[in-house]
Amino acid sequence: MSGANRVRAWTSVRKLATASTAALVLLSCQSQAQTQTPPPAAPPPKDFVVSGYVDLYFQHDFGQPRGTAPVNGRWYDTSQGVYRLAAAQVDISRVPVPKRPFGFFVSLYAGPNATTLASTEPGHINTYKDFSQAYVTYLLPTRFPFTLDFGKWYAFVGYEGLDSRTQDNYSRSFTFTSLEPDYMTGFRGTVAVTPKLTLNGYLYQGYNEVKNSNSTIMNGLGAVYAFTDKFSATLQGYYGKESNSVMNESGSFGGIGFPTPGESWVTQGNLVLLYQRNSKDKFAFDGTQARATRKGTWIGGAVYYRRQQDSHNAFCVRVDRASDPNGLRFLGGPLLLHSFTGTYDYSVNNNLTLRFELRHDISDNPFFNSDSGPTTQRTTLTFAQILKF
């Protein structure tokens, strides 16, 4: 990029960031100190709880100063050169208690991210995309805390997630977006065997499926073990038949999104390690590996370090590696992708978080969109605002 183009790009980002910040600060409530983007507070068991957020962002791709082609290879931050809505979500929930053992959780979801999330759904994109989660919960009267869920929920695979309020970075890693499932539909059981050990069991339709793409039910087992109050490990395993011979609306097959037709038995394992060294420093690791019979394998991993400097300021660095040697997870054939991400968060108050992110992606083959054609490297700068209520 020439010096003049670089100056124009940085000037446009700076102007939009200033204008967007001013507008959203006026919309937010009066400033209150808080820790950085915690999960929503645990609701009073007897009450209905309503919460939500709006996610807005502007992203500049330094390889496309004149173009607006999608930031390919990503899922939830694919626009560049325009200021846009990513997602709006409203959560309605009720937590079960022994005297009232039934509860529920519903997430109403809108925006481009909702369409992306449902892009490989065998039951058609628009049928279920408005509900990113919708399940009922029953608390069993057992010695150990034991809950059963039925419905659609975010997949408990990997360190990252889809809720923008709880993420350490703004963009999601290649490992999360393409190598791990986003949602499941079926039954889930969770039991706290001891204060340190929690077990999970799953029977579900398949990767990113409300409507099953074949006649087989997937199954999974998981365990979370807290070695200490600072260090925990989560191990998950899934097995079952995925995909079919009917092309979905994204041009792939099954909710798993294979590029070629035909059913395949898929086995996937996932390990997440979390070390909260102290109140400020957190380290995490997410690793996944999978095999699909007659199709191939994929493997990926990401490491994270987050520093909560004070109640307003935090930053996170992430290194990500995703290997797709058989071209099953990324459109563009066999690929080895890396990403290096730095994110700075400023919490204005309980209602508004501003995020600034610089990310560099690397591919072993020309893959990323640019003004001069496919390239092996890409750098993006993102300014995002997450308004919570």
Side-chain angles (χ1 to χ4, degrees):
M1 180 191 298
S2 68
N5 283 338
R6 185 176 292 107
V7 170
R8 285 194 294 269
W10 278 94
T11 300
S12 66
V13 172
R14 185 174 64 253
K15 288 181 178 178
L16 184 56
T18 301
S20 302
T21 302
L24 283 174
V25 169
L26 290 174
L27 290 173
S28 65
C29 296
Q30 294 182 343
S31 176
Q32 302 175 33
Q34 69 161 21
T35 55
Q36 173 57 34
T37 57
K46 64 181 180 180
D47 294 335
F48 290 97
V49 176
V50 179
S51 63
Y53 69 92
V54 177
D55 180 351
L56 302 159
Y57 75 102
F58 175 86
Q59 183 166 242
H60 178 72
D61 182 346
F62 288 96
Q64 298 190 73
R66 298 178 301 277
T68 56
V71 181
N72 62 320
R74 310 248 193 109
W75 274 62
Y76 302 107
D77 57 329
T78 60
S79 293
Q80 83 90 25
V82 294
Y83 183 60
R84 72 176 303 174
L85 170 74
Q89 179 173 313
V90 176
D91 300 324
I92 307 170
S93 63
R94 194 174 194 185
V95 176
V97 294
K99 292 183 178 180
R100 180 185 42 75
F102 283 98
F104 68 89
F105 192 99
V106 175
S107 290
L108 304 176
Y109 205 37
N113 286 6
T115 301
T116 298
L117 179 63
S119 61
T120 61
E121 169 58 52
H124 304 298
I125 292 175
N126 293 323
T127 306
Y128 307 106
K129 73 173 186 176
D130 296 333
F131 296 90
S132 58
Q133 299 188 91
Y135 60 88
V136 295
T137 300
Y138 180 69
L139 178 63
L140 277 71
T142 57
R143 176 182 175 185
F144 304 107
F146 190 170
T147 59
L148 287 176
D149 300 320
F150 172 71
K152 177 185 179 183
W153 64 85
Y154 289 150
F156 279 74
V157 182
Y159 174 70
E160 300 179 34
L162 293 169
D163 192 325
S164 297
R165 293 168 293 187
T166 61
Q167 300 308 297
D168 291 340
N169 301 99
Y170 183 71
S171 67
R172 274 55 163 190
S173 66
F174 290 129
T175 294
F176 171 75
T177 55
S178 293
L179 306 189
E180 299 170 347
D182 290 318
Y183 64 87
M184 300 171 174
T185 306
F187 289 93
R188 175 179 63 189
T190 304
V191 56
V193 180
T194 72
K196 290 181 175 290
L197 178 63
T198 300
L199 300 179
N200 303 300
Y202 308 90
L203 292 173
Y204 62 101
Q205 301 286 60
Y207 257 67
N208 304 341
E209 295 182 354
V210 176
K211 178 182 177 182
N212 202 338
S213 61
N214 54 62
S215 59
T216 304
I217 298 296
M218 296 285 288
N219 59 84
L221 293 172
V224 182
Y225 188 78
F227 294 91
T228 68
D229 59 349
K230 296 181 178 181
F231 178 60
S232 65
T234 302
L235 182 65
Q236 305 272 8
Y238 300 89
Y239 177 73
K241 188 179 290 186
E242 293 281 7
S243 194
N244 57 19
S245 297
V246 179
M247 183 177 290
N248 59 37
E249 290 166 282
S250 72
S252 58
F253 297 87
I256 198 169
F258 281 146
T260 56
E263 297 179 353
S264 180
W265 290 94
V266 174
T267 305
Q268 181 162 13
N270 177 256
L271 174 66
V272 173
L273 302 176
L274 180 62
Y275 176 50
Q276 185 74 52
R277 183 172 179 267
N278 50 47
S279 61
K280 293 186 175 182
D281 299 300
K282 179 176 66 175
F283 300 85
F285 167 78
D286 175 21
T288 193
Q289 182 171 5
R291 178 179 181 273
T293 57
R294 300 185 301 278
K295 292 185 182 292
T297 62
W298 60 91
I299 184 171
V303 292
Y304 311 78
Y305 167 65
R306 179 178 175 83
R307 171 75 176 183
Q308 183 70 52
Q309 188 63 33
D310 54 39
S311 61
H312 290 288
N313 300 279
F315 65 86
C316 179
V317 292
R318 177 184 67 205
V319 179
D320 174 34
R321 181 184 188 274
S323 176
D324 183 23
N326 304 107
L328 297 178
R329 309 310 301 143
F330 296 96
L331 295 177
L335 289 171
L336 175 62
L337 300 178
H338 293 83
S339 70
F340 305 89
T341 307
T343 305
Y344 166 69
D345 281 7
Y346 179 72
S347 294
V348 178
N349 52 44
N350 285 337
N351 303 101
L352 178 62
T353 297
L354 308 179
R355 287 188 166 169
F356 303 84
E357 181 171 285
L358 183 65
R359 172 167 169 167
H360 185 65
D361 298 330
I362 301 174
S363 173
D364 63 338
N365 288 306
F367 173 64
F368 306 121
N369 292 331
S370 77
D371 284 346
S372 57
T375 182
T376 59
Q377 299 195 39
R378 174 178 64 202
T379 301
T380 57
L381 178 65
T382 308
F383 172 57
Q385 309 91 52
I386 301 170
L387 183 63
K388 296 164 279 187
F389 56 89

